[in-house]
Structure formats: structure tokens, C-alpha cells
């Protein structure tokens, strides 16, 4: 009898299927470039790291390119032509990209990155399958359907085209949850160590996941009743993030955690004209500040001023952010179609295309809501619920976008 966490034959088939369907858009978009958005910033950081220049962005050549569209005027201050040392972005994903760039070179770096990312994101499918076998032991059909749903989930198929943190963030969090469930059974320190390291790596990719850490520690303390395990996980997470926090603190001369972007996020989340979401032109209003610490302070101050001016809008804004978090992700398709990547599509075909990409999330979410009434909430299911809640909750306070919910799609698929 196969051990329920083993990578079974079906797991390998699922991984192969997930790889194949993700490689199709990668090869179809082989010559596709990137936009001047988050992807450009991650690319700048990765190129700087690959060149051995450190964690820098907006080098002279990049600055000249961006200044055609945005007046940054960095050269009016103490500007290094190699770019500015920054703490605005978490380091995990840029370091991942830089490793690819070192091997592939820069000429075809986007295609090389997307090729690797297709394999990394394909891991989500078998990890979901393995997690479902632990959450619902003995229900192989449930696990297989969950894995297939994630393998063929349209947005997760095309996501390797993006230079975005979710590429490694989603597998890291899934791996952490799976390791925690295994550790809860074995009580081995090695399994707790792995869970803590994976969570620490995820935090270095997107620090918002640290909001899940208290729920994990309570789960280990109360549901698993293993205090030693909770201390191992906590120690591993702190060991992972401490060196980077020390680097950032030294850079700014004040205590700074993984990424110094809370001010920018709050500014966008409470600006009276953004509705709590990322929106142009407000999204570039704080960019001209070269010093991340100064940008962060100004962002926090202005966000607090927005709140004090109209505190009554905050509850409604949080509800709206909840709607955005669980909203249908239209922006990607709109971007591709508006920029003529797909060519002209008649209205019936366009509606069908949007339905293919938008309706799966509605189906998974509604099925999950119905499925919650049918489960008995064992220890594993409690952990999944805690991770989903702990990850989603901060976005209601900070900033929410539909793409952020992609991280919880595997868990929703399992509970559905």
C-alpha cells in the first residue's frame, strides 16, 4: 500500500500534464517582452544580482528608459549609475530570477525564465494532490480531482509568462503546509525544520505570509500539542528573515523588515481615488523618492491622513477589498487583448475566452463554500482553513487585487 504522502504514479502523471500545458503558452509567446511594471522592477533587480552589483534597481540605462514615461529625476540626488540599493521588494524572487540569468545569459532571459517557471509552477498540481490526500485521507478521488483542477486551472497555466512572485511563492507555501502536516504525524525535528525553512523562504518572497505564522504556531501548540515543534518552526523562520532584515536596517539606519513597501501599500490602499486597489496614476506618485525609507514614511503619513480625514469609509473600504480579493481577474486578459497580442476576436469568441478564464474561480469558490458544510474539521482541515484565513485577512487592511487569490486556489480546490 502506497504511503499517503508519497509521490505516486498519478502524481508524476499529474506533474507531466501540468508541465505540458504550461509549456504551450511559453513557446507560443517565445518573443514576448515585458511591460514597465512590477515585472520590469524584478528584472532590474535580477540583472543587478546576476552582474554582482547587489540588490539595486534603476541603473542609468533603465532610468533613461523609464523617464520617457515617468519623471523620476533620481539624478538630482546622490545617484549611483549602477542603480540605487533598495529594500522596496522582497529578495526571494529576484534571487531566483538571477540564478536563471546567470545560467542562460541576458539575451534570451525572458524565455529562459518562463521555461523554468513552467516547471516550477507545474509543481503546484502534484503538491495539491498530495496535500488533499492528507486533508481527506482515504479519499483518492477527491485528491485526484483537486490535483487535476489545479493542473488545468487556466490562469495558473499562463502565469509562467509573468515575472511575478507567485511563481515560487505558491509552491513554497504549499510545501510548507504539506511539511507541517507530515511533521504533525512524525514529530520529527527534520520535518519541522523543513516546514520552517519553506515558510521562511516564502516570507522572503512575499512577507505578507508572516501573518499566517501565528496561526501555525497556535495550531502546533493547541491542535498538535507539540511545543518543541512550534519553537523549531519559529526559530527557522526567524533565522531565514533575520539576515535580510539586518541588511535592510543597516541600509536605512533604522529597523526595517523584509521589504520596505508598507507605506506605498497603505497609500494605495487608502487613497480616496483608488478604491483600495492598485491604480494609475496614483501608483506612480511615490516612485520619485529614491530613498525607500523616506518613501515609506511619506506613504504611511499620507495614508493615516486619508484615514483621519474620513474614518467612516474604512469599514466599507475593507468590504470592497474583500470583494477585490475574491473578484474575477480580468486585467491579464484585458492587457493581452488591448495590446493586440491575440489579434481581433469577435464578440462571441471574446465572451467565451473570458468565460474560460473567469468562471473556474467562481466554480471553485462556490463549490468550496458548499463543501465547508460537509466536512468535520479534522486537524489537517483546520490548518488549511487557518492558512487561507491568515493569508487573506491582511489584504483587507492593506491592498487587495484579484490576482492575490491565486495563492489560495489549491486549498479552495481541495475543500471544494
Amino acid at each position: 500500500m502506497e504511503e499517503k504522502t508519497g509521490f505516486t504514479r498519478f502524481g508524476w502523471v499529474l506533474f507531466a500534464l501540468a508541465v505540458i500545458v504550461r509549456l504551450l503558452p511559453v513557446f507560443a509567446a517565445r518573443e514576448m517582452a515585458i511591460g514597465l511594471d512590477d515585472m520590469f522592477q524584478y528584472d532590474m533587480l535580477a540583472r543587478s544580482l546576476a552582474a554582482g552589483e547587489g540588490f539595486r534597481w534603476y541603473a542609468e540605462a533603465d532610468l533613461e528608459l523609464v523617464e520617457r514615461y515617468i519623471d523620476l529625476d533620481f539624478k538630482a540626488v546622490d545617484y549611483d549609475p549602477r542603480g540605487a540599493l533598495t529594500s522596496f521588494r522582497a529578495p526571494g524572487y529576484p534571487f531566483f530570477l538571477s540564478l536563471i540569468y546567470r545560467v542562460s545569459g541576458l539575451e534570451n532571459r525572458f524565455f529562459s525564465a518562463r521555461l523554468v517557471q513552467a516547471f516550477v509552477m507545474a509543481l503546484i498540481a502534484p503538491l495539491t494532490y498530495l496535500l488533499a490526500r492528507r486533508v481527506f485521507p482515504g479519499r483518492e478521488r477527491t485528491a485526484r480531482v483537486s490535483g487535476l483542477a489545479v493542473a488545468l486551472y487556466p490562469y495558473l497555466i499562463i502565469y509562467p509568462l509573468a515575472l511575478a512572485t507567485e511563481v515560487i511563492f505558491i509552491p513554497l507555501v504549499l510545501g510548507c503546509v504539506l511539511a507541517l502536516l507530515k511533521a504533525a504525524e512524525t514529530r520529527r525535528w527534520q520535518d519541522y525544520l523543513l516546514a520552517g525553512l519553506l515558510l521562511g523562504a516564502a516570507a522572503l518572497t512575499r512577507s505578507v505570509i508572516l501573518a499566517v505564522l501565528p496561526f501555525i504556531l497556535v495550531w502546533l501548540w493547541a491542535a498538535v500539542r507539540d511545543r518543541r515543534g512550534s519553537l523549531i518552526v519559529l526559530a527557522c523562520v526567524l533565522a531565514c528573515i533575520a539576515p535580510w532584515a539586518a541588511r535592510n536596517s543597516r541600509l536605512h539606519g533604522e529597523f526595517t523588515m523584509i521589504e520596505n513597501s508598507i507605506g506605498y501599500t497603505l497609500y494605495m490602499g487608502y487613497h480616496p481615488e483608488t478604491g483600495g486597489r492598485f491604480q494609475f496614476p496614483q501608483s506612480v506618485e511615490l516612485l520619485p523618492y529614491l530613498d525607500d525609507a523616506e518613501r515609506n514614511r511619506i506613504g504611511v503619513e499620507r495614508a493615516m491622513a486619508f484615514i483621519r480625514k474620513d474614518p467612516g469609509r474604512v469599514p466599507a473600504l475593507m468590504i470592497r477589498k474583500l470583494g477585490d480579493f475574491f473578484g474575477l481577474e480580468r486585467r491579464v486578459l484585458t492587457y493581452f487583448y488591448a495590446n493586440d497580442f491575440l489579434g481581433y476576436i469577435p464578440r462571441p469568441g471574446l465572451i467565451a475566452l473570458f468565460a474560460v478564464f473567469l468562471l473556474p474561480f467562481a466554480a471553485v469558490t462556490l463549490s468550496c463554500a458548499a463543501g465547508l458544510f460537509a466536512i468535520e474539521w479534522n486537524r489537517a482541515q483546520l490548518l488549511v482553513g487557518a492558512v487561507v484565513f491568515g493569508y487573506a485577512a491582511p489584504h483587507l487592511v492593506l491592498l487587495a487585487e484579484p490576482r492575490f487569490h491565486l495563492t489560495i486556489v489549491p486549498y479552495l480546490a481541495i475543500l471544494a
Side-chain angles (χ1 to χ4, degrees):
M1 183 177 180
E2 290 175 317
E3 198 255 324
K4 63 182 175 183
T5 55
F7 215 67
T8 66
R9 181 181 299 177
F10 181 80
W12 286 110
V13 172
L14 195 60
F15 178 65
L17 172 65
V19 168
I20 291 170
V21 297
R22 281 156 180 77
L23 286 177
L24 294 177
V26 168
F27 280 99
R30 180 166 188 154
E31 303 299 326
M32 188 174 74
I34 60 173
L36 294 177
D37 55 4
D38 293 359
M39 290 191 283
F40 181 63
Q41 293 183 344
Y42 289 127
D43 177 59
M44 284 190 290
L45 293 168
R47 281 188 281 114
S48 178
L49 289 168
E53 299 291 353
F55 203 67
R56 297 176 180 270
W57 64 357
Y58 294 107
E60 198 164 26
D62 296 315
L63 188 59
E64 291 173 358
L65 175 63
V66 174
E67 283 183 331
R68 301 175 193 175
Y69 309 96
I70 306 171
D71 184 18
L72 296 180
D73 198 26
F74 283 173
K75 294 181 181 178
V77 296
D78 187 15
Y79 174 75
D80 188 327
R82 297 176 298 168
L85 289 169
T86 180
S87 62
F88 186 77
R89 295 289 187 183
Y93 183 69
F95 272 94
F96 166 79
L97 271 185
S98 71
L99 294 176
I100 299 173
Y101 289 2
R102 283 178 179 270
V103 174
S104 70
L106 298 183
E107 185 176 355
N108 297 306
R109 65 185 183 277
F110 298 143
F111 174 70
S112 300
R114 289 162 178 154
L115 197 61
V116 174
Q117 290 183 166
F119 284 86
V120 174
M121 289 210 76
L123 288 170
I124 298 172
L127 287 174
T128 300
Y129 165 67
L130 295 177
L131 181 59
R133 298 183 84 197
R134 281 199 170 274
V135 173
F136 294 104
R139 296 174 62 175
E140 180 68 15
R141 182 174 178 274
T142 296
R144 293 190 175 195
V145 171
S146 302
L148 282 170
V150 171
L152 302 177
Y153 193 84
Y155 265 117
L156 293 177
I157 289 176
I158 67 170
Y159 221 80
L161 297 178
L163 303 187
T165 56
E166 284 83 358
V167 170
I168 61 173
F169 181 72
I170 300 175
L172 284 171
V173 178
L174 270 171
C176 170
V177 175
L178 193 58
L180 283 169
L181 291 178
K182 183 178 181 182
E185 290 187 4
T186 64
R187 305 296 180 102
R188 296 191 309 176
W189 67 266
Q190 297 96 322
D191 295 325
Y192 286 117
L193 177 68
L194 176 60
L197 292 176
L198 289 172
L199 185 58
L204 288 172
T205 305
R206 286 190 64 195
S207 61
V208 70
I209 198 63
L210 287 177
V212 174
L213 180 58
F215 294 94
I216 290 175
L217 297 179
V218 169
W219 178 80
L220 288 171
W221 195 281
V224 181
R225 300 186 183 280
D226 193 338
R227 298 179 181 180
R228 185 195 64 150
S230 64
L231 293 175
I232 293 174
V233 170
L234 177 61
C236 288
V237 173
L238 293 177
C240 285
I241 67 177
W244 194 254
R247 176 262 184 193
N248 289 342
S249 300
R250 182 178 180 183
L251 176 64
H252 298 301
E254 61 185 38
F255 179 72
T256 306
M257 280 291 287
I258 297 170
E259 49 190 322
N260 201 4
S261 59
I262 186 70
Y264 178 86
T265 303
L266 290 172
Y267 179 78
M268 292 298 300
Y270 290 94
H271 194 290
E273 297 179 16
T274 64
R277 61 173 70 93
F278 185 87
Q279 182 174 299
F280 183 85
Q282 292 79 19
S283 59
V284 300
E285 290 177 354
L286 294 181
L287 288 187
Y289 294 96
L290 180 62
D291 186 279
D292 294 322
E294 182 183 9
R295 183 194 304 111
N296 189 63
R297 285 192 295 270
I298 293 173
V300 171
E301 290 171 1
R302 293 183 182 178
M304 294 301 103
F306 295 148
I307 294 172
R308 287 193 295 269
K309 184 177 180 180
D310 188 5
R313 70 188 281 262
V314 173
L317 195 58
M318 293 179 67
I319 295 174
R320 182 167 184 172
K321 290 177 184 179
L322 178 64
D324 287 334
F325 183 86
F326 285 99
L328 300 179
E329 171 59 283
R330 302 184 300 272
R331 190 175 64 172
V332 174
L333 285 179
T334 302
Y335 171 80
F336 275 105
Y337 190 62
N339 288 278
D340 204 30
F341 283 100
L342 306 175
Y344 173 73
I345 301 176
R347 180 174 294 181
L350 196 59
I351 293 174
L353 180 65
F354 270 73
V356 167
F357 278 89
L358 300 182
L359 293 183
F361 182 67
V364 168
T365 305
L366 293 174
S367 297
C368 176
L372 291 178
F373 294 99
I375 63 177
E376 299 178 357
W377 292 107
N378 61 29
R379 191 167 64 185
Q381 293 158 6
L382 283 173
L383 177 62
V384 169
V387 170
V388 171
F389 178 81
Y391 170 75
H395 293 92
L396 310 189
V397 179
L398 301 172
L399 181 71
E401 289 186 11
R403 74 179 178 92
F404 294 158
H405 70 229
L406 288 175
T407 299
I408 64 172
V409 164
Y411 312 103
L412 299 182
I414 292 171
L415 296 177

